[in-house]
Amino acid sequence: MSRLQVVSGKGGTGKTTVAAALALALATEGKRALLVEVEGRQGIAQLFEAEALPYEERKIAVAPGGGEVYALAIDPELALLDYLQMFYKMGGAGRALKKLGAIDFATTVAPGLRDVLLTGKACEAVRRKDKSGRFVYDYVVMDAPPTGRVTRFLNVNDEVAGLARIGPIHNQAQAVMRVLKSRETAVHLVTLLEEMPVQETADGIAELRAARLPVGRVIVNMVRPQVLDAAGLELVRATPRTALAQSLSAAGLGGARRGGHAERLVDPLLQQAEEYAERYALEHEQRAVLTELGLPLHELPLLTEGMDLAGLYELATELREQGMT
């Protein structure tokens, strides 16, 4: 299992939720995972029902079996101050530059530098060891930008080409790419069983592969339960209306006489069945498209009562049971 797990997906697919559940799943049985946020939305804090995360690694949850999940919301400005201190010993001068607005200016006008800082912080956590020589974190899970931007975000070599061809920035980018393009990394894509997210997932996989970034797995989120299979739907279509009304009446849902309560239920039920049949056909078609991508496919259920901390642990259990750890 790769030590850096990058999670991306089209907006609205629940990629942050999946990233959080994956971190919980990986931290099972005494492991330690770091969950990293790079977009500044504080989505992780909301999921874990915690206060806004500062720019520091903070324990946010305990996984089954005693594992720990830490979280970090990376601030590019503060990451640049870390960078200046690390390579140029500019601690005090760097803080002065921040007060003058130079740090914000640098990370705004040079988006390539911003991506180097964000990915670099995550990769540093992957490589970090304690005094005994053991990795501080068994896994690092990154809640990455959406599918349409993730390849450019991860392919920082291209991003910094116009900034520096030599020197510390160039060397930092090279070190980051050695991690991102190695077996230590896997990029997972989250989708729904809908046409646009599935197409964006297919396009994202093609872009990642073209950039020689390691594609991991496809995770289908918010899958609704199957009420009827193809045979059941065909039976509904073939059953006469009168037989349906009689069955409803036999179940105690009103008399079978013409105009009775049972007969009035037939049209709404048939309409529901038709809508379900359309959705069933669409989902079956989209599953086939995802299967053709040639990647391991996992499905997470739609939690009808909404997402809360208990639901997050439930999704983590699903991921473990499906072999994501």
Side-chain angles (χ1 to χ4, degrees):
M1 177 64 67
S2 301
R3 296 188 58 251
L4 175 58
Q5 306 273 315
V6 180
V7 179
S8 182
K10 178 177 168 57
T13 60
K15 70 176 180 66
T16 300
T17 299
V18 172
L22 180 57
L24 276 171
L26 291 168
T28 304
E29 303 304 330
K31 297 291 194 300
R32 178 180 287 187
L34 175 65
L35 180 58
V36 176
E37 182 176 73
V38 298
E39 295 185 280
R41 295 185 295 106
Q42 290 292 337
I44 292 172
Q46 294 174 29
L47 280 171
F48 285 94
E49 301 172 5
E51 296 180 358
L53 295 172
Y55 180 58
E56 64 181 38
E57 294 159 21
R58 174 174 293 183
K59 187 164 76 171
I60 200 169
V62 176
E68 298 176 326
V69 176
Y70 286 73
L72 172 65
I74 303 178
D75 183 315
E77 291 185 30
L78 296 177
L80 180 54
L81 289 176
D82 283 351
Y83 177 87
L84 293 174
Q85 173 60 23
M86 183 182 303
F87 290 102
Y88 297 103
K89 308 301 180 187
M90 290 180 62
R95 288 189 290 273
L97 288 172
K98 177 176 172 60
K99 290 181 180 179
L100 292 172
I103 301 297
D104 179 60
F105 177 78
T107 55
T108 301
V109 301
L113 176 59
R114 181 187 181 95
D115 291 348
V116 170
L117 295 168
L118 294 172
T119 54
K121 190 68 177 177
C123 290
E124 182 275 326
V126 171
R127 297 190 301 258
R128 193 189 313 157
K129 295 183 179 181
D130 60 21
K131 294 180 180 179
S132 66
R134 296 183 59 183
F135 287 114
V136 172
Y137 295 106
D138 297 287
Y139 299 100
V140 176
V141 180
M142 180 193 293
D143 177 22
T147 316
R149 295 194 289 114
V150 71
T151 300
R152 183 177 178 183
F153 172 77
L154 295 174
N155 204 21
V156 293
N157 258 345
D158 289 345
E159 288 296 300
V160 301
L163 292 172
R165 297 187 182 277
I166 59 173
I169 294 178
H170 175 81
N171 294 338
Q172 172 75 352
Q174 292 288 330
V176 168
M177 293 311 302
R178 281 195 292 273
V179 174
L180 294 179
K181 291 194 174 183
S182 72
R183 293 182 180 180
E184 286 189 283
T185 300
V187 185
H188 310 299
L189 296 183
V190 181
T191 186
L192 305 178
L193 287 176
E194 297 174 5
E195 188 173 356
M196 286 186 64
V198 167
Q199 183 59 55
E200 190 162 316
T201 298
D203 293 342
I205 290 170
E207 291 177 0
L208 288 165
R209 285 172 170 165
R212 292 182 296 173
L213 288 162
V215 184
R217 308 180 184 208
V218 175
I219 303 167
V220 184
N221 196 23
M222 293 186 273
V223 177
R224 286 171 283 196
Q226 180 174 293
V227 179
L228 297 172
D229 58 13
L233 288 168
E234 185 56 37
L235 180 62
V236 170
R237 295 189 190 98
T239 303
R241 289 174 52 86
T242 53
L244 287 173
Q246 289 171 357
S247 296
L248 291 170
S249 179
L253 295 176
R257 68 184 185 279
R258 186 171 182 79
H261 183 58
E263 190 169 288
R264 291 197 300 271
L265 289 176
V266 171
D267 283 338
L269 286 174
L270 288 175
Q271 182 179 349
Q272 273 194 313
E274 183 178 349
E275 291 172 356
Y276 177 81
E278 291 176 359
R279 178 166 64 84
Y280 178 90
L282 172 64
E283 292 180 350
H284 183 75
E285 178 183 326
Q286 297 309 313
R287 274 195 185 92
V289 173
L290 292 172
T291 300
E292 290 175 359
L293 297 174
L295 294 172
L297 191 63
H298 302 269
E299 295 192 6
L300 294 176
L302 172 67
L303 302 181
T304 55
E305 296 183 1
M307 178 53 60
D308 56 12
L309 199 53
L312 205 56
Y313 278 86
E314 181 179 338
L315 294 183
T317 299
E318 285 280 347
L319 289 172
R320 285 198 304 273
E321 292 178 349
Q322 293 183 35
M324 276 289 291
T325 59

